[in-house]
Amino acid sequence: GAVVSQHPSRVICKSGTSVKIECRSLDFQATTMFWYRQFPKQSLMLMATSNEGSKATYEQGVEKDKFLINHASLTLSTLTVTSAHPEDSSFYICSARDAGAAYEQYFGPGTRLTVT
Amino acid sequence: GQNIDQPTEMTATEGAIVQINCTYQTSGFNGLFWYQQHAGEAPTFLSYNVLDGLEEKGRFSSFLSRSKGYSYLLLKELQMKDSASYLCAVSGGYNDYKLSFGAGTTVTVRA
């Protein structure tokens, strides 16, 4: 149980285009999902907290107009990187919190974004 | 703000024991997590401590001292597959469940 999927696993796009990444909780309801970014040999940095049915909460320094987050259902959150640039190339990881669990977050397998 | 420190790298021999320390200074505290992450993969949950003391789970144990802002992850009977990055993360907010991660400790297990 407690499986989180992400799609796509890898994506290469051209500078200036937009990319959408999906995060799904497959066997539980996730009222809260988190989006992280991880650059090579660095730790995970929280970008935003996504709550079902409401606007996402962004961490300081993260541009909300560039990283659009939608959490339309209890099992799906999407992150859209708009007008991507090479510096946006990174490993994007989502996690989901089971509404019925006390503390644990379950991580998706990550999406490797390369912007050329 | 959140400040979480852990060593960058550690090397140990197969079958040995390694202890990864983590110190933290956070504006709040709602639990400390340890995750294992292999290169190019997502983190997998290892342990959670919210009260002082030692939590043992098979070959892995985790300790917490809230008064000292200190935790360690103990890996016993090391196996080659334990070579990975180990991330210390703190949940600092009440009811928001956000995690702040340390930079990670890369453990290399040698034969």
Side-chain angles (χ1 to χ4, degrees):
Chain A
V3 177
V4 176
S5 70
Q6 274 185 248
H7 178 80
S9 58
R10 291 178 179 271
V11 58
I12 301 173
C13 70
K14 293 192 175 184
S15 188
T17 61
S18 295
V19 173
K20 180 185 283 188
I21 302 170
E22 293 185 347
C23 177
R24 293 181 186 273
S25 57
L26 298 186
D27 51 4
F28 65 96
Q29 295 187 330
T31 51
T32 305
M33 289 182 172
F34 302 91
W35 286 96
Y36 296 85
R37 181 166 53 182
Q38 185 177 33
F39 292 105
K41 300 197 174 181
Q42 295 186 24
S43 193
L44 280 75
M45 295 297 296
L46 180 65
M47 299 175 66
T49 303
S50 168
N51 293 298
E52 185 266 338
S54 63
K55 290 183 178 180
T57 304
Y58 291 81
E59 295 300 302
Q60 193 171 8
V62 178
E63 300 173 57
K64 61 181 67 177
D65 293 332
K66 179 171 180 63
F67 299 99
L68 302 179
I69 291 172
N70 184 278
H71 194 154
S73 76
L74 284 172
T75 58
L76 174 65
S77 176
T78 60
L79 167 69
T80 301
V81 183
T82 62
S83 187
H85 291 284
E87 56 265 31
D88 298 323
S89 298
S90 187
F91 193 47
Y92 290 86
I93 306 174
C94 72
S95 71
R97 181 176 165 267
D98 186 338
Y103 56 81
E104 194 166 341
Q105 293 181 29
Y106 303 98
F107 284 84
T111 297
R112 174 75 59 192
L113 170 63
T114 303
V115 184
T116 61
Chain B
Q2 319 288 59
N3 191 21
I4 300 168
D5 290 316
Q6 50 182 128
T8 305
E9 293 180 331
M10 300 183 77
T11 302
T13 306
E14 198 173 12
I17 299 173
V18 70
Q19 178 175 313
I20 307 170
N21 296 323
C22 172
T23 58
Y24 63 90
Q25 291 176 307
T26 56
S27 53
F29 183 80
N30 198 28
L32 186 142
F33 298 76
W34 284 96
Y35 287 88
Q36 180 192 62
Q37 186 180 27
H38 285 98
E41 299 180 9
T44 55
F45 172 80
L46 292 178
S47 68
Y48 170 72
N49 295 70
V50 67
L51 300 177
D52 290 350
L54 186 68
E55 295 279 344
E56 296 187 82
K57 191 186 293 186
R59 294 189 299 114
F60 294 177
S61 303
S62 57
F63 171 83
L64 175 68
S65 168
R66 288 172 297 170
S67 62
K68 295 182 180 178
Y70 168 71
S71 172
Y72 68 73
L73 178 70
L74 195 68
L75 286 63
K76 294 180 277 190
E77 300 170 19
L78 280 173
Q79 302 175 9
M80 299 299 286
K81 67 178 182 179
D82 297 329
S83 293
S85 180
Y86 292 84
L87 307 175
C88 172
V90 174
S91 176
Y94 176 73
N95 225 23
D96 68 11
Y97 305 102
K98 295 196 294 187
L99 294 179
S100 297
F101 282 83
T105 299
T106 300
V107 172
T108 302
V109 181
R110 300 174 306 189

